[in-house]
Each structure stands twice: as C-alpha cells, then as structure tokens.
Amino acid sequence: MGTFGTIMLIAVTAMFINNFVVVQFLGICPFLGVSKDIKSAVGMGVAVTFVMTITCLITYPIYTYILVPLELEYLEVIVFIFVIASLVQMIEAVIKKFSPTLYNAMGIYLPLITTNCAVLGVAELVIDVGTAEALGLASMGILNSVAYGFFGGIGFLIAIVIMSGLREKVKNLPISKHLKGFPVAMLTATFIAMAFYVFSMISL
Amino acid sequence: MNKFSKIASNGLIKENPTFKLILGTCPTLALTTAAFNGIGMGLAVTFVLICSNVLISLLKKVIPSNVRIPAYILIIATFVTIVKLVLDKFIPSLYDALGVYLPLIVVNCIILGRAESFASKNPVTDSALDGLFMGLGFTVSITLMGAVREILGAGAIFGFKLWDFSIDFFASSAGAFFTYAIFIALFNFILYKIEQKKKLSLLEVK
C-alpha cells in the first residue's frame, strides 16, 4: 500500500470507524459543553483540529527521537501535557498577533483545549503500538501521526456539528424537567453513536 | 464531626462528580463496559485526587496565582505517572484494560476542579477528606454504571457469567450514552423527591 493509500486508510479510521468523540469517548466535555449552537461548535471543532494536528507534529518526534533513545519513556505524560499547555498558549499569542479575525473566531476556545482529552489522547494514541498495528504498519512515522491527528480532529468537528444541529432542534421540545440539560444531551448523543456504529462494520 | 459528615455527603451525593457535576465524563463513558474497570479507574483517580489535594493545599501559599494552573497540572501529572508505573508493574491486566484513559487522568476535570475550587482554599486535612470522598463518589458511581452495563450487555457481573442473555446495545458506545443519561435523570429525580419530602416534613412541624 502506497503512502496515499495509508493516509486514506487513516482518514476513514480516525474520522469514522474510531471517531474520537462517539466511539473512543475523547473530548466529551467540549462535545457537551460547547454544542449549544452551530457557530460555536464549528469554532471549537476547527480550533481542536488545529491543535491536534500541531500536537502530533511535536509530541511524536519528542517521544521517538528524544525520550526513547534516552530511556525516559515513563516521563511521557508529564512531557506531553507540558508541551500541549505551552503549545496552546503559543498558538493563542501567534494568532492574536497575525490574524485578529481568526483570533476572534476561535480565540475563546483555545484556553479550554489544554484540558481536552482528545488532544492528550491523540498524543498517546499515535505512540501506541496498537494504533499502528490496527493500520497494518510497524510504526506510525511522523507523516502518518500528523495525518491521524488532523483527521481525528475532523472527526471531532463532524460529531460536534451534528450534535449542535440536533440540540438546536431538541431544545424546543417539551421535555420532563428531570431530563432537561445533560440527560437529553446524552440521549441525543446516543443516536449519533448509533449512526456511527454502522461504520464499525466496514472492514478495510 | 459535623464538618466531616458535610464533606462526606458533599462528595458522595450533593456534589457527586459523575451524576451531579458531570465531570470526568470520558472515562465514565469509556470504561463502564465492566464493573471491575470502574473500581480500578475509580481507585486510581481517588489516589491521585487525595495526593494532589494534599500537596496543593500544602503549597497554596507558595504557588503564585498566575501560574497556578500549570503548577497544578504538573503536580497531577507526577502522581498519574506514579499510578501508571505501579499498575504496569503489579496489575498489568488492569493497566491494559484502562489503556489510554490511564494517562488521561491528568486532564480529568474532577481533579483540576477540586484543586482549584477546594484544595487551594482549605486546610490540609479537609482537602484530603474532600479528595477521598469525591474520589469515592466517582468510584461508586462508575462501578454502579459498569455493573448495570455489564449485566445487560454481557450477562455477567465482575466477570462471572450470570446467564446467556445479553443486549449488545448496552455494550456498544451508544449504550454508554444511554445508560449515563438514564442514571443522571434518575439521580436528579431521587434528589428532587427527597428534597420535596424534607420540605413537606418541615411544613408539618410548623
């Protein structure tokens, strides 16, 4: 399988079969918290995709070329969370300086991303041997890791946009007051998860 | 004693992290396919929560307030690394079952939330108790949810086969959302009923 084929495989796997939100349950907090209207859902989704892609670009080389040769693998959690926290701060500062329009669109979502499980999750997943084996590879390599991060983020974007669209419809329905809020949001997510379940039957 | 019972009821019921505050949702949804995973994850979180609460409470005068979040995250990440190494060495089966969600304890909102809203303002013993009961509240909640999903989805409990009947829906990711929704709604409903009863009895006394 060529490089292009591998990347297509990663795209389908990360976006649909192992969708970060509804299949792997990563990034549920923003999925429930920032999905009340479509506009903010899109902003959050784009910001998460952006950070996930850059995180993979930085954490994968750090783990493979610095921590593994020095036999410091056990420091991965501390190193990753520090890289992500400083990365998010840096991206925020850079965007603020160079593109005020982009900053207005996704600036307020950036600080929330540091504690988004999807970002730390993707950093852990791309160094995990199981992820590479599922794709039929010996190890991920930097290009595939970045692709996994990017398409994982797109999967998050798809899920959160569907969710916000459904929630805009659901909020006008007459619902028992004990079900209002989180329970009904979870029930909405149930149906999205059922839709994504179909993709798990695809064998590539 | 009064303070003790207040912290206990706060963590277990009034501010139950899983069903009332809806924090730490990722491991709750992902790991409740089996009751045993719930206990393992819950105890790991409890350990990190107690340790980080104690340390943050001890250092609350030392940490400058504008870098407190990175400082908290570093403290939490250190304890998570300890848990990870210990589980890998002594209970490898649990280590494999928890998978990627073990390092993700670092970004579990419960721990950072308690550090910010409780440990940074209260004395050490209270913070330790708060960590213990918040952690137990989380453990009990996800173990219960895990038990329900395991019974319905696999026809087993703690790995022991009960019967051959199982509903695959409850083992799937959609079932996780569904069970969680029902649990939150039931929890709210029961709390509401108890509150109403209290109000009624107060009226009768008057």
Side-chain angles (χ1 to χ4, degrees), chain B residues 12-198:
Chain B
L12 292 175
I13 299 163
K14 266 187 226 145
E15 286 186 13
N16 183 299
T18 314
F19 297 140
K20 197 73 204 177
L21 304 181
I22 328 282
L23 293 175
T25 38
C26 302
T28 309
L29 289 166
L31 296 172
T32 47
T33 44
F36 184 68
N37 289 352
I39 292 187
M41 186 69 192
L43 292 183
V45 168
T46 309
F47 172 77
V48 176
L49 197 50
I50 296 173
C51 295
S52 69
N53 262 5
V54 167
L55 197 61
I56 287 166
S57 180
L58 281 173
L59 296 175
K60 64 178 177 269
K61 293 214 173 75
V62 186
I63 300 172
S65 69
N66 46 353
V67 292
R68 65 182 193 285
I69 301 290
Y72 295 166
I73 291 181
L74 190 64
I75 290 171
I76 296 166
T78 311
F79 287 117
V80 171
T81 307
I82 294 172
V83 171
K84 211 177 149 205
L85 292 176
V86 169
L87 281 187
D88 191 15
K89 175 83 185 158
F90 294 107
I91 322 176
S93 60
L94 186 63
Y95 179 83
D96 291 335
L98 299 184
V100 71
Y101 298 97
L102 194 54
L104 286 179
I105 296 177
V106 178
V107 286
N108 192 317
C109 330
I110 299 173
I111 298 170
L112 200 59
R114 290 329 279 177
E116 173 80 11
S117 68
F118 198 92
S120 60
K121 295 176 193 132
N122 286 290
V124 178
T125 40
D126 288 4
S127 303
L129 277 179
D130 180 71
L132 175 68
F133 284 108
M134 277 285 160
L136 284 182
F138 176 71
T139 311
V140 171
S141 311
I142 73 169
T143 310
L144 262 179
M145 238 181 95
V148 168
R149 282 186 68 196
E150 200 180 349
I151 291 172
L152 292 172
I157 181 83
F158 289 106
F160 297 110
K161 197 96 192 140
L162 294 175
W163 46 66
D164 280 332
F165 172 75
S166 67
I167 310 166
D168 286 346
F169 172 76
F170 284 97
S172 73
S173 55
F177 284 111
F178 183 76
T179 319
Y180 201 3
I182 300 299
F183 262 91
I184 300 171
L186 270 179
F187 193 80
N188 285 342
F189 180 70
I190 293 169
L191 276 191
Y192 174 80
K193 282 281 165 206
I194 293 173
E195 206 114 284
Q196 258 191 343
K197 232 178 201 174
K198 257 189 201 162

Side-chain angles (χ1 to χ4, degrees), chain A residues 2 11 66 89 132 140 147 149 162 191 195:
Chain A
I66 299 177
Q89 294 262 300
M140 288 294 277
I162 296 176
F191 290 103

Side-chain angles (χ1 to χ4, degrees), chain A residues 139-204:
Chain A
S139 73
M140 288 294 277
I142 181 137
L143 180 68
N144 293 337
S145 298
V146 174
Y148 198 86
F150 174 73
F151 287 113
I154 297 288
F156 178 86
L157 177 69
I158 294 172
I160 196 171
V161 170
I162 296 176
M163 180 71 171
S164 62
L166 285 175
R167 279 183 86 173
E168 281 190 351
K169 298 261 181 255
V170 167
K171 79 176 174 209
N172 296 324
L173 298 176
I175 300 165
S176 147
K177 73 172 171 219
H178 306 292
L179 278 174
K180 276 236 164 70
F182 280 109
V184 89
M186 295 274 181
L187 286 179
T188 316
T190 308
F191 290 103
I192 302 175
M194 274 156 89
F196 272 87
Y197 184 68
V198 177
F199 292 113
S200 72
M201 290 165 190
I202 301 176
S203 57
L204 291 163

